[in-house]
Amino acid sequence: MQESSRNQQQQQQRQQQEARQAMDILTEMSSILNTGLDRETLSICVSLCESGVNPEALAAVIKELRRESASTRVTDK
């Protein structure tokens, strides 16, 4: 019984490490592509896509939010 529990723990640790490595790679790619997405925002986007959100629709929403934010900043000045 302990062996099975130990194997499950090791498997969970491997999965967590792989997830961190994947997130590191995505963060680096995001930086190289100058997306302006921080690690937390990128993580949220990945989670949304994994939950079935259309990536192209998500990108369109992000672009629109950026446009709205920029126009709000301009009118506030």
Side-chain angles (χ1 to χ4, degrees):
M1 188 78 164
Q2 287 180 337
E3 175 116 4
S4 174
S5 177
R6 193 175 310 127
N7 286 341
Q8 286 177 339
Q9 269 186 326
Q10 289 174 342
Q11 184 177 3
Q12 285 178 334
Q13 288 173 345
R14 276 194 302 272
Q15 288 174 340
Q16 288 173 348
Q17 184 176 359
E18 288 172 0
R20 274 192 296 277
Q21 287 175 341
M23 205 56 220
D24 289 344
I25 291 168
L26 287 172
T27 302
E28 184 65 25
M29 289 172 61
S30 175
S31 176
I32 290 169
L33 295 171
N34 198 28
T35 65
L37 299 175
D38 62 20
R39 189 176 180 95
E40 181 182 3
T41 305
L42 189 58
S43 178
I44 292 168
C45 290
V46 169
S47 293
L48 287 169
C49 290
E50 288 175 343
S51 296
V53 172
N54 180 321
E56 291 178 8
L58 181 57
V61 168
I62 291 170
K63 287 179 182 178
E64 182 61 28
L65 289 171
R66 285 184 175 167
R67 268 193 293 273
E68 294 272 334
S69 177
S71 70
T72 301
R73 275 186 255 134
V74 168
T75 58
D76 286 348
K77 291 183 177 181

